[in-house]
Amino acid sequence: MRITSILLGTATALALGSAAHASTLDIPFSIGSGNSNEKFTIDRNNDAGNDIEIGIKAKKRFVGDITPVGNVYNAQAGDSDPGLAIWNIDWSVDLGAGKTIDDYDVYLTVDFNTAAGNSDVSTFLLDGTPFLEAGQQINQQSQNLGFGFWAVLPNYQPFDPFAPGEYEIGLTVFDQGATTGALARAQAFVNVAPIPLPPSLALGALGLGALAFAGRRARRKPA
């Protein structure tokens, strides 16, 4: 098993490719049931004998697609099952006819802990992980950051599905053995909002705020 971590640099090698955009995959997304090939952030490379298409997105677990704003997917904090986020990440890698993962290096980037900032982003080769088998032309997955197998990967940080913030996800394809001159890049972000207060608590907080404001006004009233 080969699990390799490299420092690609958020602002360079994993920067959003010029051709990357939210769109529909050219191939079906065949993982599980009820999953679609739409709303992906996609990059393609059809130059110099390549026929690569990669795509990544966030979606609502058990519900369906999130319509992104650019390459940002807005989700809600909270758990769908104990320890699992309400949202999943889906990715698709199609290396083209006659090509397999043995011809390229495909890196997946995942941010597990927004509190630690970008320094905790984990970037690793798909080859040798639980997600990929040798000889594959197409690799597609729908995964949750709360699944336990992530813990064996480089730079893993414990994941809290209730933690709000911005999570980075991305795919990068290189010629095998290269770490510069990416052939395709797709980078997206999941903006996770805090759990809103229940209506009763929200009204209570509003009422307390109104009482505090009234108290301040009363203290300022001239005698």
Side-chain angles (χ1 to χ4, degrees):
M1 177 176 287
R2 181 169 58 133
I3 300 178
T4 305
S5 178
I6 62 168
L7 180 62
L8 295 176
T10 303
T12 54
L14 287 182
L16 184 65
S18 59
H21 56 285
S23 186
T24 301
L25 297 172
D26 289 338
I27 60 175
F29 190 75
S30 56
I31 297 299
S33 60
N35 295 322
S36 83
N37 64 344
E38 301 178 349
K39 312 296 185 184
F40 278 85
T41 296
I42 293 173
D43 196 13
R44 299 181 177 96
N45 183 337
N46 303 112
D47 298 332
N50 295 303
D51 188 16
I52 300 168
E53 179 189 68
I54 57 175
I56 196 161
K57 71 177 179 182
K59 72 169 185 196
K60 295 179 182 178
R61 190 171 185 234
F62 302 135
V63 177
D65 287 334
I66 299 170
T67 299
V69 179
N71 65 332
V72 177
Y73 297 80
N74 292 307
Q76 185 69 56
D79 60 350
S80 54
D81 284 308
L84 302 182
I86 291 173
W87 49 278
N88 275 7
I89 59 171
D90 291 1
W91 71 79
S92 177
V93 177
D94 181 1
L95 299 172
K99 299 287 187 177
T100 74
I101 192 64
D102 302 321
D103 299 306
Y104 299 99
D105 283 341
V106 182
Y107 288 88
L108 177 68
T109 295
V110 181
D111 188 358
F112 293 96
N113 181 0
T114 61
N118 286 335
S119 63
D120 73 320
V121 172
S122 181
T123 298
F124 51 87
L125 276 167
L126 284 179
D127 183 13
T129 69
F131 309 123
L132 190 65
E133 297 178 3
Q136 284 187 325
Q137 173 196 329
I138 297 172
N139 178 254
Q140 295 180 328
Q141 295 286 334
S142 181
Q143 301 292 346
N144 194 287
L145 295 188
F147 290 154
F149 54 72
W150 293 101
V152 304
L153 301 176
N155 302 332
Y156 171 77
Q157 298 284 328
F159 175 68
D160 179 3
F162 294 93
E166 186 178 76
Y167 295 81
E168 179 185 348
I169 55 177
L171 289 167
T172 309
V173 181
F174 294 96
D175 282 319
Q176 195 167 62
T179 57
T180 60
L183 300 174
R185 308 181 184 108
Q187 183 187 37
F189 299 89
V190 188
N191 184 24
V192 177
I195 297 175
L197 289 172
S200 57
L201 291 179
L203 287 173
L206 182 62
L208 289 174
L211 287 172
F213 178 73
R216 286 195 298 270
R217 290 197 62 183
R219 288 194 296 271
R220 291 175 185 170
K221 186 176 181 180

